[in-house]
């Protein structure tokens, strides 16, 4: 299958492909999604197949607004309207109780709930409208690898395996949406996956205490967002986290040891490193926004680079606000490993 790069000029071809049951990746403000008609079970099965995604990991259904959600859900948490008014279109996914039989169990992973999100990207909103159906969209990467933030990343993973990718440029945020559980109308909403819409922001707009901390699990309890238990965001090359104030130490270590290292950091930390060989992927600036936007593309770039690296060192950020989501992804990519030189 030849995989096409669709643009705004060929958007209706992309919509037709979706209507015919084919897979088309689409841009959002977070990461690219791998789209299929959410009402076409065969198409949705193919999404799992080409990604290599475990079948118990449910998908997010992308819509053009809350009106498109009402047909499918049995009950709305009283806060749904408020959070949707505040953050849609945007990087917020809401989990709601599903009307019996509204979606195939392939979409929901057999759960009695379903995840909805209205992405903030004009091309994708136009695509969903033209397709006329809700569109499932997990991140458009092979399962376990860093999520895609450009159409090229999608083509790298899926050339000849999907009908095409709608090219909307590099994504603005760089990590996936915040997932909030609104499936129990009687309880305080819980964040299942941190993202750019933080617990602080959600607490402000709902007047409830919504924390970024994922809910602690008891004993053998399964995580509420099934995706959170799987290996994630990992390039082939080993990843190690480094605190900003340890970059002098890192420089000393690299000049002592024979190690082919890549570095992902802001300009201030990167400037402390003297490297004879190896590769540096620098964020545009030292802000957490730039770091978040560049994390996955940095991991992909260094993983692919000619230098055949032994390890990629990545600068950490403080764990609050967007930094909480950034560190959530980085810790998984690094399997919690942090640099110390002693
Ligand atoms: O930003 C995003 O959310 C991107 C773009 C493409 O929209 N999509 C994305 O999808 O990250 P995915 O499939 O990679 O992640 C979906 C997450 C998984 O952790 C999954 O387990 C969780 O949402 N999820 C989906 N449906 C759920 C449900 N009914 N209950 C609990 N968690 C659910
Ligand atoms: Mg994903």
């Amino acid at each position: 299958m030849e995989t096409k790069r669709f643009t705004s000029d060929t958007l209706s071809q992309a919509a037709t492909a979706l209507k015919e049951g084919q897979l088309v990746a689409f841009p959002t403000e977070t990461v690219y999604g791998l789209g299929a008609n959410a009402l076409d079970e065969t198409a949705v099965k193919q999404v799992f197949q080409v990604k290599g995604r475990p079948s118990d990991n449910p998908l997010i259904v992308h819509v053009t607004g809350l009106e498109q959600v009402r047909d499918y859900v049995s009950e709305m948490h009283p806060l749904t309207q408020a959070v949707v008014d505040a953050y849609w279109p945007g990087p917020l996914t809401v989990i709601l109780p599903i009307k019996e039989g509204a979606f195939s169990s392939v979409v929901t992973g057999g759960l009695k709930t379903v995840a909805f999100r209205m992405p903030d990207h004009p091309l994708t909103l136009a695509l969903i409208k033209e397709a006329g159906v809700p569109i499932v969209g997990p991140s458009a990467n092979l399962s376990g690898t860093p999520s895609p933030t450009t159409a090229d990343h999608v083509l790298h993973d899926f050339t000849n395996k999907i009908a095409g990718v709608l090219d909307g440029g590099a994504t603005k945020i760089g990590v996936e949406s915040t997932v909030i559980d609104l499936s129990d109308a009687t309880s305080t909403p819980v964040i299942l996956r941190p993202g750019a819409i933080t617990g602080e922001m959600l607490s402000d707009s709902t007047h409830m205490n919504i924390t970024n901390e994922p809910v602690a699990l008891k004993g053998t309890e399964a995580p509420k967002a099934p995706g959170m238990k799987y290996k994630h965001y990992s390039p082939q090359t080993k990843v190690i986290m480094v605190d900003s104030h340890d970059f002098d130490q890192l420089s000393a270590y690299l000049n002592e040891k024979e190690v082919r290292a890549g570095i992902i950091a802001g300009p201030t930390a990167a400037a402390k490193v003297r490297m004879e060989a190896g590769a540096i992927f620098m964020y545009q600036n030292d802000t957490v926004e730039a770091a978040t936007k560049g994390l996955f593309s940095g991991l992909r770039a260094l993983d692919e680079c000619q230098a055949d690296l032994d390890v990629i060192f990545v600068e950490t950020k403080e764990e609050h606000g967007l930094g909480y989501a950034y560190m959530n992804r980085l810790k998984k990519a690094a399997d919690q490993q942090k640099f110390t030189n002693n």
Side-chain angles (χ1 to χ4, degrees):
M1 178 192 304
E2 191 210 338
T3 301
K4 296 204 180 82
R5 190 190 292 261
F6 298 112
T7 62
S8 54
D9 293 339
T10 49
L11 190 133
S12 53
Q13 287 178 30
T16 304
L18 284 171
K19 280 190 272 191
E20 287 172 349
Q22 301 185 59
L23 309 191
V24 175
F26 56 84
T28 79
E29 75 284 32
T30 58
V31 301
Y32 274 72
L34 182 56
N37 175 356
L39 306 176
D40 180 340
E41 186 174 295
T42 314
V44 178
K45 279 188 182 154
Q46 275 181 52
V47 170
F48 283 88
Q49 204 175 38
V50 302
K51 267 186 71 82
R53 182 176 176 107
S55 61
D56 69 343
N57 190 3
L59 304 177
I60 297 174
V61 175
H62 293 71
V63 294
T64 52
L66 201 55
E67 320 74 61
Q68 207 180 5
V69 167
R70 292 186 208 281
D71 292 348
Y72 306 110
V73 302
S74 54
E75 189 186 8
M76 291 273 188
H77 193 289
L79 293 175
T80 311
Q81 188 76 51
V83 297
V84 160
D85 284 349
Y87 301 113
W88 277 15
L92 181 74
T93 295
V94 296
I95 309 281
L96 299 170
I98 192 180
K99 227 184 236 173
E100 185 145 356
F103 290 105
S104 150
S105 62
V106 182
V107 174
T108 63
L111 298 175
K112 293 197 158 59
T113 55
V114 70
F116 289 102
R117 154 163 143 79
M118 178 185 184
D120 188 12
H121 199 294
L123 285 184
T124 292
L125 290 174
L127 178 71
I128 304 172
K129 248 187 211 129
E130 189 153 343
V133 286
I135 302 290
V136 293
S139 48
N141 54 292
L142 293 169
S143 209
T145 65
S147 299
T149 59
T150 65
D152 285 343
H153 294 159
V154 177
L155 290 170
H156 174 272
D157 285 15
F158 294 124
T159 289
N160 300 332
K161 294 189 189 138
I162 62 173
V165 53
L166 178 57
D167 191 342
T171 62
K172 271 190 269 178
I173 296 174
V175 294
E176 304 84 347
S177 62
T178 304
V179 178
I180 185 169
D181 187 359
L182 294 173
S183 63
D184 179 0
T186 60
S187 69
T188 305
V190 176
I191 291 180
L192 304 182
R193 179 176 71 182
I197 307 298
T198 62
E200 295 82 358
M201 290 160 75
L202 288 163
S203 300
D204 277 354
S205 50
T206 60
H207 308 290
M208 294 187 94
N209 182 25
I210 301 177
T211 64
N212 279 321
E213 303 295 332
V215 240
L217 297 175
K218 298 180 210 99
T220 55
E221 209 180 2
K224 276 215 162 173
M228 301 309 270
K229 67 175 177 281
Y230 293 107
K231 185 175 163 66
H232 255 89
Y233 317 121
S234 313
Q236 303 278 310
T237 316
K238 181 188 180 72
V239 176
I240 297 180
M241 301 182 273
V242 189
D243 286 339
S244 312
H245 56 78
D246 284 338
F247 271 72
D248 291 321
Q249 295 277 342
L250 177 65
S251 180
Y253 168 85
L254 290 175
N255 287 292
E256 225 166 76
K257 298 260 167 27
E258 288 274 313
V259 43
R260 280 165 306 183
I263 293 179
I264 301 181
T268 305
K272 294 183 189 159
V273 182
R274 294 173 292 114
M275 267 171 82
E276 304 297 311
I280 296 190
F281 181 95
M282 241 193 286
Y283 300 132
Q284 297 266 320
N285 58 54
D286 289 324
T287 61
V288 67
E289 287 77 16
T292 305
K293 186 173 172 177
L295 176 64
F296 291 146
S297 58
L299 290 173
R300 279 179 175 258
L302 293 185
D303 208 24
E304 301 283 306
C305 84
Q306 298 295 322
D308 190 18
L309 304 173
D310 301 314
V311 52
I312 303 170
F313 292 101
V314 187
E315 185 178 11
T316 61
K317 289 282 171 192
E318 278 184 50
E319 280 178 80
H320 62 76
L322 182 61
Y324 193 86
Y326 172 84
M327 288 304 297
N328 171 272
R329 306 311 191 272
L330 176 54
K331 283 178 181 173
K332 289 189 186 190
D335 208 6
Q336 309 287 334
Q337 280 202 66
K338 200 164 182 181
F339 170 79
T340 48
N341 189 22
N342 47 38

